[in-house]
Amino acid sequence: MENRIQIEQSIEIFESFRKGMEAYFMLPEIPKNLRPKHSAVSARIAASLRPLFPRSVSVDIDLLGADILVWNEEGPLLALFWSSSYLAKDRKKKAIAFHEKGNTPLTLAFSLFPDKEKFLV
C-alpha cells in the first residue's frame, strides 16, 4: 500500500512539473543577446512551479546540488537537473547520484529547447 501511495505522489508531482514547464514556456522570452545565466533560468522555472504546490512546500534553486529542489519538512519531493542543450553524461550521472543518495521520490533531468517551446526529459 505504501508503494502505491508513493507512485501516486510521484505522478502528482510529475504533473505539477509538466504544468509548471508549460507556464515557463508562456513567460516572455529572454532576448538571445542577454544569454541568461543558468541560475536565472532556474529561478524562472522555479517561479513557474511555485504556484502548483501547497504553501507548505518550498521551491528553491541551487540547493543540495540540484538545480531546482521542491521540498517540504519531510525532505525533498522533486529534484531537477537541466541543461539548455542535450544533457551531458556528467549531468545525467549527477542526477542519478543525487536520486540514489537523497532518497528523493522523483528526480528529473531534462533539456530545454526554448526556440521550439519544448523540453526533453
Side-chain angles (χ1 to χ4, degrees):
M1 184 66 162
E2 185 176 319
N3 193 31
R4 181 185 168 117
I5 292 170
Q6 289 175 336
I7 291 169
E8 288 175 1
Q9 180 186 26
S10 292
I11 290 170
E12 288 176 20
I13 291 169
F14 181 81
E15 186 61 19
S16 295
F17 163 74
R18 189 188 64 73
K19 288 178 182 177
M21 292 307 295
E22 286 176 2
Y24 168 78
F25 281 116
M26 298 302 291
L27 293 173
E29 189 174 337
I30 298 173
K32 292 181 195 278
N33 62 340
L34 292 181
R35 292 202 184 261
K37 292 185 178 187
H38 193 87
S39 59
V41 175
S42 292
R44 287 171 59 104
I45 294 169
S48 296
L49 292 171
R50 176 65 244 142
L52 301 169
F53 290 95
R55 294 184 81 124
S56 60
V57 173
S58 297
V59 181
D60 289 311
I61 66 168
D62 302 326
L63 189 63
L64 301 177
D67 293 324
I68 302 165
L69 190 66
V70 178
W71 60 281
N72 63 15
E73 62 190 23
E74 296 173 17
L77 301 171
L78 171 65
L80 299 173
F81 296 83
W82 70 273
S83 175
S84 57
S85 62
Y86 287 101
L87 230 57
K89 190 180 282 189
D90 63 323
R91 298 287 293 158
K92 290 177 189 175
K93 286 181 179 180
K94 185 176 179 181
I96 291 168
F98 184 94
H99 183 75
E100 290 173 347
K101 183 177 108 179
N103 198 21
T104 305
L106 187 59
T107 301
L108 299 173
F110 62 97
S111 300
L112 283 177
F113 300 101
D115 295 341
K116 298 177 184 175
E117 293 188 5
K118 67 178 184 177
F119 60 100
L120 177 64
V121 180

